[in-house]
Amino acid sequence: IINFKWRKFAKTRYVIFIGLYFLYLLSFMAAVTLDSGRVHQGNVINHLIISFSIIVLALGFMFIIAEIMQMIAYRKHYFGTYNVIDLGSTILPMIYAVGVFLRSSWRFEYVGISMLFVYVDFILRLRVFKEFGIPIFIMIEIFKRVRGPIVIIAMMVFAYTHIYWLLFSYMEVTDLVGDSPVTNDFSTPQRALVSVFFFVTGSFGGLSGAFGNPTVALLAIVFSFMTAVLLLNILIALMSDVV
């Protein structure tokens, strides 16, 4: 029955819906690109930004109504991962579009997160088609299986961020690149977090000029062993069972 309904009318309706969402995505991406300062500003560009923002608001309002109808229908069962992403991909671009009309600078603060939500949501909406649904399902199942090791890695990243941030707060980096001192990539918690995150990929560039300190070197070796040798191999083993 489900296959019959899908072939009879549901597929056509969903293709139309995907088409509208694709127009929504293109309009939002065009608006933020033109509004980014990367394109020479002028009256024509400003009119285009406003036009694309109107499309974002119009289609976003339609998608919001659809989400509200789902909330009413499913109530407490509505708030799942997919629906939260749907909400984020609808509300955040609309906030940006409102900011365009208000000429407010705060709209730029949401652009990056908004773009991420919109792109991810568009990909997830393709899951009803077999060609996209199977890979998406496999990726979700892989994540479910490996979330334990991922949480452990995240905890280690947080721990090392705290450790190195404190160590570098009272340790002087003495190495030079040419005539310039090496930049301290652990001067703030944010920079420390980014630097430690790249440790997972084997990039220890943030520690340049500090490997002469035995504590720093030992901690880096322990981190590399725990993540690259142990946890990543555990991840591979768990993923192989799913695929």
Side-chain angles (χ1 to χ4, degrees), residues 59-154:
L59 292 177
F61 183 73
M62 183 184 71
F63 295 143
I64 281 289
I65 292 177
E67 294 301 320
I68 292 175
M69 292 175 64
Q70 290 186 51
M71 287 183 188
I72 296 173
Y74 296 108
R75 298 184 181 181
K76 63 180 181 180
H77 300 291
Y78 168 81
F79 291 97
T81 303
Y82 293 130
N83 288 329
V84 169
I85 294 175
D86 289 344
L87 274 178
S89 67
T90 303
I91 294 174
L92 292 175
M94 291 181 70
I95 292 175
Y96 165 81
V98 170
V100 169
F101 290 102
L102 296 178
R103 299 183 181 277
S104 177
S105 59
W106 51 256
R107 69 183 186 273
F108 298 112
E109 299 177 8
Y110 303 96
V111 168
I113 298 298
S114 301
M115 294 175 70
L116 177 63
F117 267 93
V118 171
Y119 275 126
V120 171
D121 191 43
F122 178 72
I123 294 172
L124 290 178
R125 287 181 186 274
L126 297 175
R127 68 186 183 276
V128 298
F129 302 106
K130 183 178 179 180
E131 295 79 4
F132 301 98
I134 293 176
I136 291 174
F137 174 78
I138 292 175
M139 292 173 63
I140 293 173
E141 288 301 310
I142 288 175
F143 179 78
K144 289 179 180 178
R145 291 293 302 273
V146 303
R147 58 188 173 188
I150 288 176
V151 170
I152 294 174
I153 292 176

Side-chain angles (χ1 to χ4, degrees), residues 171-222:
M171 186 178 67
E172 184 178 355
V173 180
T174 57
D175 278 15
L176 299 177
V177 177
D179 295 326
S180 303
V182 175
T183 303
N184 184 358
D185 289 326
F186 301 89
S187 57
T188 65
Q190 294 84 356
R191 295 187 65 174
L193 178 62
V194 173
S195 297
V196 173
F197 176 80
F198 283 108
F199 287 2
V200 179
T201 65
S203 175
F204 291 90
L207 297 178
S208 298
F211 279 118
N213 185 297
T215 303
V216 172
L218 178 62
L219 288 171
I221 292 171
V222 172

